[in-house]
Amino acid sequence: MGRIPEDIPHDFIKIRIENCHLTELPRGVFSQMSALEFLWLNFNKITLMNIKSLDGLTNLTELRLQGNKLTSVTWMAFQDTPKLKILDLKHNRLDILPEHALRHLPELTYLDLSFNQLSVISKDVFINWPLYQTAEKAWGKEGLVSNMVLALHDNPWLCDCRLKGFVEFIRAVRPPIILMNSYLMCSGPASKAEKFFHEIQLKTCMNPVASAPETNITLPLGANATLTCLVKARPGPTIQWMYSLKIIRGFAATETHIDEETVTSKLVIPTLHLADRGLYTCMANNFIGNSSVSITVNINSSNSSAPLPPPVPMLSSDENAYIDIRIAKQTVYGITLEWYATTDNPAETWFTIHFGKYDSHKKEMIYIGPGINSYTVSDLLPVTKYEVCVTLKNHPPREGQCIVFVTGSDISELEQRERLIHIIVIVCAMVLAVPAGMFACTTEARFSCVDRCMKLWKKHRLHGEDLQGAERQGTFDSLQAASDEGLCRDSEEKPKKRRKSEDRCKGGSAAHLY
């Protein structure tokens, strides 16, 4: 059974569909079953839960979803189940529990979240539990209230400062809340792994504080430089080194944990060139805030009469030099670019990534060191047109060295914390008239699309056709995603008044050859 049957009688009181192949709870699937009180959907493959999937279940008192594949729950859906008393979510993949998750469950007395992927939650989740607030007041006045059973064991709890309030809440828990298993255990960090909550003491979270033993360094030309940054923070920080306000990715940076809240980061700059002098900044941040410290690197160039190798290779005059760029991976957070370059001196070749919104004149620039051929762009906004270019270091982008893509809209209210990023349209272009030819295709494009582009490109090269002056038509803004009807044209076909061949491929992507 792959979906919930549509012909279930409306007067059923109990439904039990287990060990089947259900993958989602669609909108309004139970909307005509107002008499339903018990709904058991254990051991299916449910991953999605629509915000109106429980619509009409005003008398539901028990919902069991044990052993499914839920990574999040649409807690707003419980507005339609005001009488729900039992909610069983154990053995799923839940990793987040919002502070107001239980706000719409005023009658809930049993909640099982054991055997999930919860690592950090706030005590406010349970403080905001309506029945807990009511029962706590009644307990002091009358001494008799309904107990609330809570199961939270066998989750990978990360026992750092973020869990401090929750750990203290669990240690002090008392009726009306009863823990099914009060021995909750830490999974990390390493110093607290496999320790019970009642065995640890957690400190309050702390904003990062960055410092450096030396903030002004002078070294001879050609020497190796090591810049040291000391950071104190709770929880542990993310540390990045910046040079001239650009993230450094080519140099080797190592981190050493001195204790639970102190980290040392060292940036190694091999064989100093004159271009390496300047201000380097160590930036540390965690969810509370950030801090930075700057280190000035001076170079003693007394032997400057000796010829210096250029720190940045110039463009190769070799006609075969080119950069090949493509989108290698798409995730819910962004894309990963990969490129291949043929240069005279690859061991010394730096690249510059130019990234930003398509219509923005100011693009973010990130320097990429030798030996690196990939870069991940994350935290993309939905429904936004972006442009990303790869060039040799400090060179402006040229025609054919950029990829333009558009992000999709949010999945739904169902997954507001995760955006499904997908490429709507990408131009597949090979610039034949410049040394740096490159192509880009979506991962969704058929391989035949790329093959036909390559064959056509080779044919034009053999015939010596010069397409440099070709009029560019069918630009990104006017390019429409391919449909299922009349998608593929013969790649040999050429419009009479255009010096451009066009090839469209199925799969929602279009490819143009210029």
Side-chain angles (χ1 to χ4, degrees):
M1 186 182 295
R3 62 180 180 178
I4 296 171
E6 298 179 358
D7 56 351
I8 299 177
H10 298 168
D11 58 348
F12 270 26
I13 294 176
K14 182 174 183 178
I15 294 177
R16 184 173 180 178
I17 305 175
E18 298 183 343
N19 291 295
C20 292
H21 298 279
L22 303 181
T23 58
E24 66 174 320
L25 294 182
R27 180 186 183 95
V29 66
F30 303 109
S31 59
Q32 303 300 318
M33 304 178 191
S34 59
L36 194 64
E37 297 180 17
F38 305 91
L39 179 58
W40 290 18
L41 301 173
N42 298 323
F43 306 110
N44 283 281
K45 299 177 181 179
I46 299 172
T47 58
L48 294 175
M49 183 177 175
N50 189 278
I51 193 170
K52 300 300 289 183
S53 59
L54 304 177
D55 184 29
L57 298 181
T58 54
N59 290 304
L60 189 69
T61 60
E62 184 173 325
L63 175 61
R64 295 187 181 271
L65 293 167
Q66 175 186 352
N68 282 283
K69 297 182 179 181
L70 290 166
T71 57
S72 65
V73 171
T74 310
W75 298 98
M76 292 288 289
F78 295 109
Q79 292 182 101
D80 298 317
T81 59
K83 295 183 180 180
L84 192 67
K85 295 181 179 294
I86 296 174
L87 179 58
D88 186 355
L89 294 168
K90 62 176 171 284
H91 287 286
N92 275 278
R93 302 174 182 179
L94 304 178
D95 58 359
I96 287 181
L97 196 61
E99 287 187 11
H100 296 286
L102 308 180
R103 180 172 55 184
H104 301 295
L105 294 163
E107 301 295 325
L108 191 68
T109 58
Y110 179 97
L111 176 63
D112 194 341
L113 294 167
S114 59
F115 295 95
N116 275 280
Q117 296 299 315
L118 298 171
S119 58
V120 175
I121 63 175
S122 169
K123 68 177 182 180
D124 292 337
V125 173
F126 309 104
I127 299 298
N128 293 330
W129 192 348
L131 194 60
Y132 172 78
Q133 296 175 342
T134 304
E136 191 177 42
K137 296 176 182 177
W139 180 269
K141 293 180 180 179
E142 304 170 15
L144 182 63
V145 293
S146 298
N147 289 323
M148 296 179 292
V149 179
L150 182 62
L152 294 165
H153 53 278
D154 289 281
N155 279 284
W157 299 113
L158 182 61
C159 296
D160 61 19
C161 65
R162 289 170 291 183
L163 208 64
K164 182 176 185 294
F166 175 67
V167 169
E168 292 174 350
F169 173 79
I170 292 298
R171 285 203 300 231
V173 74
R174 61 185 180 87
I177 291 183
I178 297 176
L179 291 176
M180 190 177 295
N181 184 343
S182 59
Y183 288 94
L184 303 188
M185 181 180 291
C186 302
S187 292
S191 60
K192 293 182 173 62
E194 298 187 359
K195 290 185 177 180
F196 294 111
F197 279 17
H198 63 269
E199 297 177 320
I200 62 172
Q201 293 292 331
L202 298 179
K203 298 180 180 179
T204 304
C205 291
M206 180 177 72
N207 193 73
V209 177
S211 61
E214 293 182 88
T215 57
N216 199 312
I217 299 174
T218 301
L219 292 170
L221 190 67
N224 294 335
T226 301
L227 312 185
T228 302
C229 172
L230 190 68
V231 179
K232 294 178 71 68
R234 288 193 299 267
T238 299
I239 301 175
Q240 291 180 324
W241 285 88
M242 311 280 285
Y243 174 59
S244 299
L245 301 181
K246 310 302 175 192
I247 299 175
I248 297 174
R249 298 184 183 275
F251 299 148
T254 59
E255 294 182 9
T256 304
H257 290 263
I258 298 176
D259 54 42
E260 289 185 19
E261 57 191 51
T262 308
V263 181
T264 297
S265 178
K266 293 186 177 182
L267 178 70
V268 178
I269 309 173
T271 316
L272 283 171
H273 295 291
L274 285 176
D276 295 326
R277 61 190 171 189
L279 194 66
Y280 291 77
T281 303
C282 170
M283 298 187 64
N285 66 81
N286 61 17
F287 79 99
I288 299 180
N290 59 73
S291 176
S292 64
V293 61
S294 297
I295 301 174
T296 302
V297 175
N298 304 299
I299 297 178
N300 186 351
S301 56
S302 57
N303 298 326
S304 59
S305 57
L308 298 176
V312 179
M314 302 304 292
L315 276 172
S316 171
S317 59
D318 187 353
E319 291 240 350
N320 293 324
Y322 70 96
I323 301 174
D324 209 10
I325 181 174
R326 70 187 184 95
I327 293 177
K329 182 180 180 183
Q330 300 174 49
T331 69
V332 294
Y333 302 106
I335 63 170
T336 297
L337 300 171
E338 286 184 355
W339 63 88
Y340 174 76
T342 298
T343 60
D344 290 338
N345 192 359
E348 293 289 331
T349 301
W350 281 66
F351 300 94
T352 300
I353 299 286
H354 307 259
F355 175 72
K357 293 183 179 180
Y358 180 76
D359 54 359
S360 174
H361 296 293
K362 294 187 66 176
K363 299 284 196 298
E364 178 185 1
M365 293 192 299
I366 302 99
Y367 295 142
I368 307 293
I372 299 174
N373 70 333
S374 65
Y375 177 70
T376 298
V377 179
S378 58
D379 297 325
L380 299 177
L381 297 173
V383 198
T384 303
K385 185 175 177 181
Y386 288 100
E387 182 178 46
V388 59
C389 309
V390 179
T391 68
L392 295 184
K393 184 177 179 182
N394 292 330
H395 285 256
R398 298 188 302 170
E399 184 180 3
Q401 294 182 336
C402 301
I403 288 177
V404 177
F405 63 93
V406 173
T407 56
S409 60
D410 289 350
I411 302 176
S412 66
E413 297 171 300
L414 193 62
E415 292 287 346
Q416 291 182 9
R417 65 188 177 87
E418 290 186 352
R419 298 187 300 273
L420 177 62
I421 302 301
H422 59 88
I423 306 306
I424 296 176
V425 176
I426 283 188
V427 174
C428 172
M430 294 180 188
V431 181
L432 307 181
V434 296
M438 59 174 56
F439 71 90
C441 285
T442 66
T443 54
E444 297 172 357
R446 300 287 180 90
F447 285 110
S448 60
C449 175
V450 180
D451 292 339
R452 294 170 78 175
C453 280
M454 292 298 293
K455 289 177 183 177
L456 192 55
W457 172 74
K458 290 178 181 178
K459 181 176 179 180
H460 280 285
R461 294 285 286 182
L462 289 173
H463 287 78
E465 294 188 50
D466 182 9
L467 301 182
Q468 186 172 8
E471 178 185 0
R472 179 163 182 154
Q473 298 186 17
T475 60
F476 181 89
D477 293 300
S478 64
L479 190 62
Q480 299 296 319
S483 63
D484 290 335
E485 189 174 342
L487 288 170
C488 289
R489 299 183 183 177
D490 186 357
S491 61
E492 300 293 331
E493 181 183 349
K494 297 181 182 179
K496 294 180 180 179
K497 296 184 179 181
R498 299 180 187 174
R499 302 185 64 190
K500 178 179 73 173
S501 293
E502 179 179 86
D503 181 23
R504 289 192 175 182
C505 302
K506 292 184 179 180
S509 300
H512 281 245
L513 180 65
Y514 297 98

